[in-house]
Amino acid sequence: MSTALGVAAFIVMLLLVVLIHEAAHFGFAKLFGFKVEEYFVGFGKRLWSVRRGETEYGLKAIPAGGYVKIAGMDPFRPVAPSDPDFPRTYYEKPAWQRAIVIAAGPLTHFVIAFIFFSIALTFAGGLFPSESVTFPTVEQTFAAPLPPGDLSAMAGDRVVLVVAGSASVAHPSEAGFQRFVREHQGEELLLVLERQQGETTERVETVVAASVLATPSDVAGLRRGDRVVEVASGPDRVSEPSANVFVEFVGEHQRDALELVIERDGEVIETTLQPVLVPSPGVDEVQMQWRIGVELSESVVEKSGFPQSLSDGAQMVWLATQDSVREAARIFGPEGIGRMRDLLFTDAEREVTDPASAIGLAGAAGTLSEGGRFFQLLFLFGAINVFVGLLNLLPLPPFDGGHLAVLVIEKIRGKRVDVRRLVPVAAVVLTFFVLFTSAAVLVDITKPLQLGP
């Protein structure tokens, strides 16, 4: 699959999601007899529309969502009680019907995510983290790992020159680098590294023994088939981590010693794993990367059968929802806002955990497509839908969750809420998200998201 195909698939997915979201509002509104005046995809200037019965359908210029307009829902355009359609207006319908109409839209995202996850699990299974972490591959050696704590090299540095005595190789490929190391065992290698610092590039030199040293996994005594019971670094500790949690934990503590509790043939073993900085394998242009000498491979997880994939797909929706709650709190909280400020106004490098707009996510979809990782593309689409569904359920106007919150308040108070008073709140919320999204778009353009292989 090509990059363009992945980006196109992402765009089609977004359009379909918007259509389905609004179709859910529309369908239940029609079912309960609401008068639906408009069903549009997009915002801004009207590009095309057609009227069928009492409803106008169409497209607008800004493809950033869509809306269904129900008579009487706009507090500044009330429908007179003398109007024949007055009983069919939004506020004249029972609260439970209004709640279903509003909730139907965001809930479709979770259904879509379930479908994406279940399809991927049916055919791929192991591409998504299993319930426990096992090591299908444990590497015994690295070519010239740098000692822990040697920060003269940093993850992301590119090897532009490697020198041993009078021999040298400029801009070595991974294979060329490994070959050079093997040919110069017992010698010291001078590595010239290229490091990107904002808009400038600097070169850094470091010396490392060419001896093929033991990997962290070998030092820790890890073996193929070991299962991680617990991983810890200082006060941070995770029990029975899934594969994605384990990878995330190692990424957050890549320079720290990791305390592992593993299970091997019914025996529980404690050991220490210290990541080291090494030239990354499998790429044409060598870069430095923190590694631990083990791999999590899809080959150890069997593909799910269809019935099991449905159960696992539902579980994945729940797990993705939990992750989305944590991510939403981080991204839109002080940490995320501060991070966005740093990305915009400093030389801070982009990280995969940073917020991304549709542009960045489209790029990620293109990268997955180019690498032939079709099922991971489905998992990405599923995760995006869960996050969008959760965002829509935030109890803030103008989100769907804000309308649901008004219904709850009305139920508690026993009388209607004057939603006109909520307009300033909606304006503040909308302004924040417009500014945040605009900032994310700018970051995606100036500091593109790099999704590793």
Side-chain angles (χ1 to χ4, degrees), residues 243-254:
N244 64 329
V245 171
F246 181 80
V247 170
E248 182 178 351
F249 189 93
V250 173
E252 292 174 350
H253 301 278
Q254 56 191 7

PDB file of all heavy atoms in Angstrom, residues 243-254:
ATOM      1  N   ALA A 243       1.065  -5.290  26.020  1.00  0.00           N
ATOM      2  CA  ALA A 243       2.230  -4.964  25.216  1.00  0.00           C
ATOM      3  C   ALA A 243       2.367  -3.461  24.994  1.00  0.00           C
ATOM      4  O   ALA A 243       3.466  -2.912  25.067  1.00  0.00           O
ATOM      5  CB  ALA A 243       2.166  -5.689  23.875  1.00  0.00           C
ATOM      6  N   ASN A 244       1.234  -2.781  24.722  1.00  0.00           N
ATOM      7  CA  ASN A 244       1.349  -1.336  24.490  1.00  0.00           C
ATOM      8  C   ASN A 244       1.727  -0.595  25.754  1.00  0.00           C
ATOM      9  O   ASN A 244       2.490   0.378  25.720  1.00  0.00           O
ATOM     10  CB  ASN A 244       0.052  -0.769  23.888  1.00  0.00           C
ATOM     11  CG  ASN A 244      -1.129  -0.887  24.811  1.00  0.00           C
ATOM     12  OD1 ASN A 244      -1.218  -1.829  25.608  1.00  0.00           O
ATOM     13  ND2 ASN A 244      -2.067   0.039  24.707  1.00  0.00           N
ATOM     14  N   VAL A 245       1.236  -1.047  26.911  1.00  0.00           N
ATOM     15  CA  VAL A 245       1.602  -0.423  28.187  1.00  0.00           C
ATOM     16  C   VAL A 245       3.084  -0.649  28.470  1.00  0.00           C
ATOM     17  O   VAL A 245       3.795   0.259  28.924  1.00  0.00           O
ATOM     18  CB  VAL A 245       0.734  -0.973  29.338  1.00  0.00           C
ATOM     19  CG1 VAL A 245       1.251  -0.490  30.687  1.00  0.00           C
ATOM     20  CG2 VAL A 245      -0.718  -0.558  29.151  1.00  0.00           C
ATOM     21  N   PHE A 246       3.575  -1.864  28.177  1.00  0.00           N
ATOM     22  CA  PHE A 246       4.990  -2.167  28.406  1.00  0.00           C
ATOM     23  C   PHE A 246       5.878  -1.288  27.535  1.00  0.00           C
ATOM     24  O   PHE A 246       6.858  -0.707  28.010  1.00  0.00           O
ATOM     25  CB  PHE A 246       5.248  -3.650  28.110  1.00  0.00           C
ATOM     26  CG  PHE A 246       6.672  -4.080  28.345  1.00  0.00           C
ATOM     27  CD1 PHE A 246       7.117  -4.365  29.626  1.00  0.00           C
ATOM     28  CD2 PHE A 246       7.561  -4.196  27.284  1.00  0.00           C
ATOM     29  CE1 PHE A 246       8.436  -4.759  29.854  1.00  0.00           C
ATOM     30  CE2 PHE A 246       8.878  -4.584  27.501  1.00  0.00           C
ATOM     31  CZ  PHE A 246       9.311  -4.872  28.789  1.00  0.00           C
ATOM     32  N   VAL A 247       5.536  -1.196  26.249  1.00  0.00           N
ATOM     33  CA  VAL A 247       6.327  -0.374  25.328  1.00  0.00           C
ATOM     34  C   VAL A 247       6.308   1.088  25.773  1.00  0.00           C
ATOM     35  O   VAL A 247       7.338   1.776  25.760  1.00  0.00           O
ATOM     36  CB  VAL A 247       5.791  -0.513  23.888  1.00  0.00           C
ATOM     37  CG1 VAL A 247       6.445   0.517  22.969  1.00  0.00           C
ATOM     38  CG2 VAL A 247       6.034  -1.917  23.370  1.00  0.00           C
ATOM     39  N   GLU A 248       5.144   1.578  26.176  1.00  0.00           N
ATOM     40  CA  GLU A 248       5.032   2.961  26.631  1.00  0.00           C
ATOM     41  C   GLU A 248       5.866   3.188  27.893  1.00  0.00           C
ATOM     42  O   GLU A 248       6.543   4.202  28.025  1.00  0.00           O
ATOM     43  CB  GLU A 248       3.565   3.294  26.904  1.00  0.00           C
ATOM     44  CG  GLU A 248       3.330   4.736  27.331  1.00  0.00           C
ATOM     45  CD  GLU A 248       1.859   5.042  27.554  1.00  0.00           C
ATOM     46  OE1 GLU A 248       1.019   4.194  27.211  1.00  0.00           O
ATOM     47  OE2 GLU A 248       1.564   6.127  28.091  1.00  0.00           O
ATOM     48  N   PHE A 249       5.830   2.220  28.813  1.00  0.00           N
ATOM     49  CA  PHE A 249       6.582   2.346  30.069  1.00  0.00           C
ATOM     50  C   PHE A 249       8.079   2.388  29.783  1.00  0.00           C
ATOM     51  O   PHE A 249       8.805   3.234  30.322  1.00  0.00           O
ATOM     52  CB  PHE A 249       6.244   1.169  30.995  1.00  0.00           C
ATOM     53  CG  PHE A 249       6.783   1.309  32.394  1.00  0.00           C
ATOM     54  CD1 PHE A 249       6.004   1.860  33.392  1.00  0.00           C
ATOM     55  CD2 PHE A 249       8.072   0.903  32.707  1.00  0.00           C
ATOM     56  CE1 PHE A 249       6.489   2.008  34.684  1.00  0.00           C
ATOM     57  CE2 PHE A 249       8.574   1.035  33.994  1.00  0.00           C
ATOM     58  CZ  PHE A 249       7.777   1.590  34.981  1.00  0.00           C
ATOM     59  N   VAL A 250       8.551   1.481  28.915  1.00  0.00           N
ATOM     60  CA  VAL A 250       9.971   1.459  28.570  1.00  0.00           C
ATOM     61  C   VAL A 250      10.364   2.770  27.887  1.00  0.00           C
ATOM     62  O   VAL A 250      11.426   3.332  28.151  1.00  0.00           O
ATOM     63  CB  VAL A 250      10.289   0.254  27.664  1.00  0.00           C
ATOM     64  CG1 VAL A 250      11.727   0.331  27.153  1.00  0.00           C
ATOM     65  CG2 VAL A 250      10.079  -1.049  28.431  1.00  0.00           C
ATOM     66  N   GLY A 251       9.483   3.284  27.013  1.00  0.00           N
ATOM     67  CA  GLY A 251       9.770   4.546  26.338  1.00  0.00           C
ATOM     68  C   GLY A 251       9.891   5.715  27.305  1.00  0.00           C
ATOM     69  O   GLY A 251      10.721   6.614  27.123  1.00  0.00           O
ATOM     70  N   GLU A 252       9.070   5.704  28.355  1.00  0.00           N
ATOM     71  CA  GLU A 252       9.112   6.792  29.342  1.00  0.00           C
ATOM     72  C   GLU A 252      10.318   6.688  30.267  1.00  0.00           C
ATOM     73  O   GLU A 252      10.706   7.665  30.892  1.00  0.00           O
ATOM     74  CB  GLU A 252       7.823   6.781  30.166  1.00  0.00           C
ATOM     75  CG  GLU A 252       6.581   7.157  29.369  1.00  0.00           C
ATOM     76  CD  GLU A 252       5.308   7.004  30.175  1.00  0.00           C
ATOM     77  OE1 GLU A 252       5.381   6.425  31.285  1.00  0.00           O
ATOM     78  OE2 GLU A 252       4.244   7.452  29.699  1.00  0.00           O
ATOM     79  N   HIS A 253      10.898   5.480  30.367  1.00  0.00           N
ATOM     80  CA  HIS A 253      12.021   5.255  31.284  1.00  0.00           C
ATOM     81  C   HIS A 253      13.216   4.674  30.539  1.00  0.00           C
ATOM     82  O   HIS A 253      13.939   3.830  31.061  1.00  0.00           O
ATOM     83  CB  HIS A 253      11.590   4.304  32.406  1.00  0.00           C
ATOM     84  CG  HIS A 253      10.441   4.800  33.223  1.00  0.00           C
ATOM     85  ND1 HIS A 253      10.592   5.695  34.265  1.00  0.00           N
ATOM     86  CD2 HIS A 253       9.107   4.558  33.136  1.00  0.00           C
ATOM     87  CE1 HIS A 253       9.409   5.959  34.801  1.00  0.00           C
ATOM     88  NE2 HIS A 253       8.490   5.285  34.129  1.00  0.00           N
ATOM     89  N   GLN A 254      13.447   5.162  29.307  1.00  0.00           N
ATOM     90  CA  GLN A 254      14.444   4.531  28.461  1.00  0.00           C
ATOM     91  C   GLN A 254      15.875   4.699  28.964  1.00  0.00           C
ATOM     92  O   GLN A 254      16.765   3.931  28.596  1.00  0.00           O
ATOM     93  CB  GLN A 254      14.338   5.073  27.037  1.00  0.00           C
ATOM     94  CG  GLN A 254      14.445   6.575  26.933  1.00  0.00           C
ATOM     95  CD  GLN A 254      14.081   7.078  25.550  1.00  0.00           C
ATOM     96  OE1 GLN A 254      13.628   6.318  24.713  1.00  0.00           O
ATOM     97  NE2 GLN A 254      14.280   8.352  25.290  1.00  0.00           N
TER      98      GLN A 254
END
